[in-house]
Amino acid sequence: MSTDHYDTLETRDPQQREEQLLQALPRQIEQAQRRAPAMAAVLHGVDARDVTSRAALARLPVTRKHDLMERQKARRAQDPFGGHSAIGWRATGAGSGAARVFQSPGGLYEPEGRAPDYWRMARAIFAAGFRHGDLAHNSFSYHLTPAGSMMETGAQAVGCTVFPGGVGNTELQLQAMHDLRPDGYLGTPSFLKILLDKAVESGQPLPHLRKALVSGEAFPPSLQQAFKQQGVDGYQCYATADLGLIAYETPAREGLVLDEQIIVEIVRPGTGEPVSDGEVGEVVVTTLNPDYPLIRFGTGDLSAVLPGRCPTGRTHTRIKGWMGRADQTTKVRGMFVHPSQVAEVVGRHPELKRARLVVSGAMAQDRMTLHAEVEGTPEGLGQRVADSVRDVTKLRCDVQFLAPGSLPNDGKVIEDARSYE
């Protein structure tokens, strides 16, 4: 197994890494308060100098994508970034410095700064086997969304030459791959499968293509093995348009290693409360990017910390990869029920350990049952919890108590078990 590393940050002593990340945290919070008006409002009353531990960080509010959307829409005439960016262009009032601006689905805008490898993708690309002098065929989109630029700037930081294939135009892209003989592929796994299958069908395989970094879709082991049988060693990474790289796969193929320039927490869905290592929860990221200083940004994705260190010698924390969505908002009898409401109910009753709201029944006959872990069965607790659920959600609910540790460790707070037949 290769123990080659992109830089010395990857093999730092874990204690040193933690100290250096926490030393950088107050500066990032101060930057956010000073140069990003929306974050200044979110962090009003916070003394950045006091946020020097994970416990202090966990007391700050979580910002989620719908918050970004609402703030951008509210301030679009003054600042398309909604006050979250420290950079922009003359008309935005956010100062100069943006090299590009992108639009994600839903009309959400993200800036790209001018720092080399702005999205920090080089680390993932290097771990996937790309090296200086390689030709990388990039089939991520170059239009509207930042994925193409994310991969291109990362590959160039590694020292690769990049062919900007973009999406679609399968025949033209295959022709370019036959003519240019790229060493590796950057793009979605589904499009790589299309390219490889069509190459075989046409009787012109791609023997020079030996490596790939894929993202944007699930990459199950079965597909990884299918690529391997066609001579392509594929790895995956986890990144978002808001944050850039979050985690990446290594040749060990044991989870995803966290990037070196972010602070990651796993929190209980619907809250900002960190869970224990190994428990599934929402991925919340604080980026140390001064241009777009998102503090405790909730990705909406579920994952969990994987114990131990990567066999490749990388010493940072590993996560299990994408495990579903944290936003489990469900409509019951015409009313939306949110994970945060389940968390509020649990917070009202210290006896409860963990809880899951199960919605069952046939269509138009919804029934809610709160499954809650508790030691013993305290007298009257069931009715008190049911009353709290009704107070918070305005809906009736049954309560079922379970022994601690009975609920599955899958991050689900609301389970829709209704029959739609």
Side-chain angles (χ1 to χ4, degrees), residues 49-216:
R49 296 170 296 182
D50 294 337
V51 188
T52 57
S53 67
R54 286 185 177 264
L57 177 63
R59 290 192 286 270
L60 303 182
V62 174
T63 294
R64 293 188 166 85
K65 193 175 287 285
H66 65 82
D67 297 318
L68 294 184
M69 191 78 73
E70 290 173 2
R71 291 164 193 163
Q72 287 195 4
K73 288 181 178 178
R75 300 190 56 179
R76 188 139 292 166
Q78 299 81 31
D79 179 3
F81 299 126
H84 279 280
S85 177
I87 60 171
W89 59 97
R90 186 179 63 249
T92 65
S96 62
R100 297 184 181 92
V101 56
F102 293 102
Q103 182 194 77
S104 289
L108 189 66
Y109 295 97
E110 297 100 2
E112 178 182 273
R114 297 181 183 276
D117 191 22
Y118 174 82
W119 307 93
R120 310 178 316 282
M121 294 302 302
R123 193 175 305 283
I125 293 169
F126 186 91
F130 290 77
R131 294 295 183 268
H132 183 91
D134 282 348
L135 175 62
H137 186 103
N138 185 10
S139 283
F140 275 112
S141 174
Y142 276 79
H143 300 96
L144 295 178
T145 63
S149 183
M150 291 170 74
M151 287 295 183
E152 177 167 300
T153 53
Q156 289 173 339
V158 171
C160 298
T161 299
V162 178
F163 177 80
V167 296
N169 299 305
T170 306
E171 298 300 331
L172 287 176
Q173 294 213 44
L174 268 178
Q175 179 183 335
M177 297 179 94
H178 287 303
D179 293 342
L180 300 176
R181 297 185 299 174
D183 301 280
Y185 166 92
L186 305 168
T188 63
S190 61
F191 192 60
L192 177 57
K193 186 175 188 306
I194 289 172
L195 290 170
L196 290 173
D197 288 349
K198 282 190 174 295
V200 171
E201 289 171 10
S202 67
Q204 294 182 299
L206 303 169
H208 46 274
L209 196 69
R210 287 286 179 260
K211 61 195 81 170
L213 178 67
V214 301
S215 192

Side-chain angles (χ1 to χ4, degrees), residues 333 357-358 367-371 382 385-387 389-390 393 395-399:
R333 298 176 218 147
L357 187 68
V358 178
R367 178 180 177 180
M368 297 200 317
T369 304
L370 186 73
H371 297 252
V385 172
D387 290 343
V389 174
R390 187 168 186 179
T393 68
L395 296 165
R396 289 188 179 89
C397 180
D398 296 327
V399 177

Side-chain angles (χ1 to χ4, degrees), residues 329-338 341 392-395:
T329 298
T330 304
K331 203 169 191 178
V332 182
R333 298 176 218 147
M335 302 279 288
F336 282 108
V337 181
H338 305 274
Q341 293 175 307
V392 172
T393 68
K394 314 306 178 190
L395 296 165

Side-chain angles (χ1 to χ4, degrees), residues 85-420:
S85 177
I87 60 171
W89 59 97
R90 186 179 63 249
T92 65
S96 62
R100 297 184 181 92
V101 56
F102 293 102
Q103 182 194 77
S104 289
L108 189 66
Y109 295 97
E110 297 100 2
E112 178 182 273
R114 297 181 183 276
D117 191 22
Y118 174 82
W119 307 93
R120 310 178 316 282
M121 294 302 302
R123 193 175 305 283
I125 293 169
F126 186 91
F130 290 77
R131 294 295 183 268
H132 183 91
D134 282 348
L135 175 62
H137 186 103
N138 185 10
S139 283
F140 275 112
S141 174
Y142 276 79
H143 300 96
L144 295 178
T145 63
S149 183
M150 291 170 74
M151 287 295 183
E152 177 167 300
T153 53
Q156 289 173 339
V158 171
C160 298
T161 299
V162 178
F163 177 80
V167 296
N169 299 305
T170 306
E171 298 300 331
L172 287 176
Q173 294 213 44
L174 268 178
Q175 179 183 335
M177 297 179 94
H178 287 303
D179 293 342
L180 300 176
R181 297 185 299 174
D183 301 280
Y185 166 92
L186 305 168
T188 63
S190 61
F191 192 60
L192 177 57
K193 186 175 188 306
I194 289 172
L195 290 170
L196 290 173
D197 288 349
K198 282 190 174 295
V200 171
E201 289 171 10
S202 67
Q204 294 182 299
L206 303 169
H208 46 274
L209 196 69
R210 287 286 179 260
K211 61 195 81 170
L213 178 67
V214 301
S215 192
E217 298 171 349
F219 187 43
S222 57
L223 190 53
Q224 174 209 315
Q225 285 303 315
F227 290 162
K228 188 73 172 177
Q229 290 170 6
Q230 292 179 279
V232 179
D233 204 9
Y235 295 86
Q236 62 184 313
C237 70
Y238 170 32
T240 74
D242 318 281
L243 301 160
L245 181 66
I246 297 174
Y248 60 98
E249 193 173 23
T250 75
R253 298 196 184 279
E254 294 181 6
L256 305 180
V257 177
L258 295 182
D259 180 51
E260 297 290 336
Q261 299 298 319
I262 56 175
I263 299 174
V264 171
E265 304 165 273
I266 308 292
V267 309
R268 186 157 287 110
T271 78
E273 175 189 351
V275 300
S276 302
D277 282 357
E279 185 174 345
V280 177
E282 181 183 8
V283 178
V284 170
V285 179
T286 295
T287 172
L288 299 181
N289 175 6
D291 293 345
Y292 200 37
L294 295 175
I295 309 299
R296 298 204 86 200
F297 183 76
T299 64
D301 295 323
L302 294 175
S303 193
V305 169
L306 189 66
R309 301 296 174 201
C310 183
T312 64
R314 293 171 174 87
T315 58
H316 207 348
T317 303
R318 299 178 298 170
I319 59 175
K320 292 183 178 180
W322 188 81
M323 300 177 69
R325 291 293 293 170
D327 185 4
Q328 301 151 25
T329 298
T330 304
K331 203 169 191 178
V332 182
R333 298 176 218 147
M335 302 279 288
F336 282 108
V337 181
H338 305 274
S340 59
Q341 293 175 307
V342 178
E344 182 178 347
V345 170
V346 173
R348 291 187 181 190
H349 303 278
E351 303 96 328
L352 304 184
K353 309 300 181 184
R354 291 195 303 152
R356 171 181 296 196
L357 187 68
V358 178
V359 185
S360 59
M363 186 177 291
Q365 296 179 335
D366 302 333
R367 178 180 177 180
M368 297 200 317
T369 304
L370 186 73
H371 297 252
E373 295 181 352
V374 63
E375 292 277 5
T377 53
E379 185 177 354
L381 180 60
Q383 187 58 53
R384 294 197 299 274
V385 172
D387 290 343
S388 292
V389 174
R390 187 168 186 179
D391 180 46
V392 172
T393 68
K394 314 306 178 190
L395 296 165
R396 289 188 179 89
C397 180
D398 296 327
V399 177
Q400 180 179 335
F401 292 134
L402 305 170
S406 298
L407 289 174
N409 180 25
D410 57 8
K412 281 190 178 180
V413 176
I414 300 177
E415 177 183 352
D416 190 345
R418 288 173 287 194
S419 171
Y420 292 95

